[in-house]
Amino acid sequence: MQEQVIQYLKDHREEHLNQLKEFLAIPSISALSEHHDDVVKAAEWVKEDLLNSGFNQAEVMPSDGKPVVYGEVIKNPNAPTVLIYGHYDVQPVDPVELWESEPFDATIRDDKLYARGATDDKGQVFMHMKVMEAVLKTVDTPPVNFKVLIEGEEEIGSPTLPKFCEEHQEMLAADLIVVSDSALIEKGKPTITYGLRGLAGIQIDVKGAKGDLHSGEYGGGVMNPIHALVKILDSFRDENNKILVDGFYDQIPELSEEERKALADVPFNEEQLRQDLDVPELTGEEGYSYVERTSVRPTLEINGIYGGFQGEGIKTVLPSEAAAKITCRLVPDQDPEKIVEQLTKHVEKNTPKGVNVSVTPFDKGKPYVTPFDHPVIQTAAKAYEKVYNEETAYIRGGGSIPIVAELDRILQVPVVLMGFGLPDENLHAPNEHFHLENFDKGMETLAHYWFMLENVK
């Protein structure tokens, strides 16, 4: 029966691409208040498309933030129920002058679809919508029951969705959750992301004198906040890139030999990456491979640092304040609240005399991992391999999708991350795009997956 579904997708490909262009034309930027109406418009668009696809229920539901789209079609009481999660909001487009075509006027060049949201995440959400449409239009009894949860705040950290999910647990109940908001490790290589790192961020503000001081008159006699900040930042890591925050590594379990082997089998050319990035060498925590450093080990990175005169030339000033922004990527079983507490204590312990320092927490998200030998993940790998004719790689994502850990905690069912993007598709950057090869193969993969799940226990 999946052959009928796949043929439907092929027969309607151009129609579907035009619909996707309509969806991408809506500038649903959740971070900018002036796009509030566009966010609502995108939610309504998703609802209407689900109803047109054959869903017997689809609605735009209020939350404490942006609206949530929920839909379901339950036709087979003996089949598993799949909850598909995604988001319809997108990142801002700045700097817009670097776009080669208008960011909300989807354009196809070299078999790639260029637009904001093309790969993150409208394009991948849309694939699910069209595969569900194809199933409902061609099969009397679908192999699975479908529920969808499409939100409008993922790009700002999904601040209100956990509460929404807790309040609607019965409505969202399912046997598994499928998320397509990730990427293949390389072109043509099917990839299951079975884990994601968590996130903990702080801002460090260092305050010295009540105002900027002349560096000739006061230099050497008053602590410079930039010097103090540099000392604090330098105290975070040793020469081998080990993080020196007390207790930082305490909750991290050792990787199993099976998992280390799976990561070692991930095809990856470090030298090619070094050349692509144009850096003298790749560095990181001693004793771990690049793949391990960027997926299963925690990090501490300085994301921004500022203070003093930034203009052209020089201004002999001793600034009154300086600041830095830091984020840590976390792995199981690190708790972001505890990490922020440890970071704060470290800053206080390493603050030089002569300045006042404050620490402000911000972004937080828990890490997530599903055993990659779980039957629903292994079945997803087989669906990929049926279409791509390549063995599936199993990776942990280096980035964070905080809501995934929350969905796991609240609904307590396995989460399968089946991404179809590619790492170089400029998500969050100018000229974001989506390879149409994966648009086609991805939908075919999903079609096979739904039918293969019928026999999974």
Side-chain angles (χ1 to χ4, degrees), residues 177-194:
I177 302 167
V178 175
V179 180
S180 295
D181 193 11
S182 55
L184 312 181
I185 193 168
E186 62 182 30
K187 188 177 187 295
K189 182 66 173 179
T191 306
I192 295 285
T193 302
Y194 67 94

Side-chain angles (χ1 to χ4, degrees), residues 2 5-6 9 131 442-452:
Q2 54 262 57
V5 173
I6 293 167
L9 293 168
V131 174
M443 288 196 289
E444 190 173 341
T445 299
L446 292 171
H448 284 296
Y449 188 42
W450 303 143
F451 284 91
M452 294 167 78

Side-chain angles (χ1 to χ4, degrees), residues 9 124 127-128 131 180 184 383-384 387-388 418-421 434-450:
L9 293 168
Q124 299 199 58
M127 290 164 60
H128 278 285
V131 174
S180 295
L184 312 181
Y384 270 119
V387 176
Y388 283 85
M418 296 183 71
F420 299 99
F434 190 33
H435 285 67
L436 293 181
E437 175 188 6
N438 289 326
F439 177 78
D440 296 324
K441 287 186 173 181
M443 288 196 289
E444 190 173 341
T445 299
L446 292 171
H448 284 296
Y449 188 42
W450 303 143

Side-chain angles (χ1 to χ4, degrees), residues 39-50 60 67 69 88:
V39 170
V40 174
K41 182 179 179 181
E44 291 287 348
W45 194 98
V46 172
K47 180 200 79 172
E48 290 301 322
D49 191 82
L50 291 172
V60 176
V69 183
Y88 62 80

Side-chain angles (χ1 to χ4, degrees), residues 4 10 12 38 84 110 138 161 217 279 284 299 328 336 344 352 361 363 365 374 418 440 445:
Q4 296 172 264
K10 290 178 179 178
H12 293 81
D38 296 312
I84 297 167
D110 301 322
T138 60
L161 193 62
E217 293 184 12
V279 294
T299 66
C328 297
T344 302
D363 292 351
H374 194 288
M418 296 183 71
D440 296 324
T445 299

Side-chain angles (χ1 to χ4, degrees), residues 270-321:
E270 290 194 16
E271 175 56 23
Q272 184 60 56
L273 176 66
R274 185 198 69 77
Q275 293 179 24
D276 291 344
L277 297 179
D278 194 21
V279 294
E281 62 180 289
L282 302 177
T283 65
E285 187 182 2
E286 196 172 69
Y288 296 91
S289 70
Y290 180 88
V291 171
E292 290 173 334
R293 291 169 182 165
T294 56
S295 62
V296 298
R297 296 298 294 168
T299 66
L300 186 154
E301 298 292 347
I302 302 165
N303 305 123
I305 182 170
Y306 53 94
F309 179 64
Q310 304 292 323
E312 184 179 355
I314 190 166
K315 182 181 181 183
T316 54
V317 65
L318 194 158
S320 65
E321 55 188 18

Side-chain angles (χ1 to χ4, degrees), residues 20 23-24 42-43 45-47 49-50 53 55 69 84-90 117-133 147-152 154-155 178-182 418-421 432 434 439 443 446 450:
L20 176 54
F23 190 23
L24 292 167
W45 194 98
V46 172
K47 180 200 79 172
D49 191 82
L50 291 172
S53 296
F55 271 60
V69 183
I84 297 167
Y85 163 82
H87 62 95
Y88 62 80
D89 65 320
V90 298
T119 188
D120 180 24
D121 184 37
K122 284 181 176 177
Q124 299 199 58
V125 164
F126 182 83
M127 290 164 60
H128 278 285
M129 294 164 66
K130 293 303 108 176
V131 174
M132 290 186 290
E133 175 187 303
K147 294 182 177 182
V148 297
L149 175 68
I150 314 298
E151 67 153 319
E154 195 276 343
E155 297 294 4
V178 175
V179 180
S180 295
D181 193 11
S182 55
M418 296 183 71
F420 299 99
E432 179 181 349
F434 190 33
F439 177 78
M443 288 196 289
L446 292 171
W450 303 143

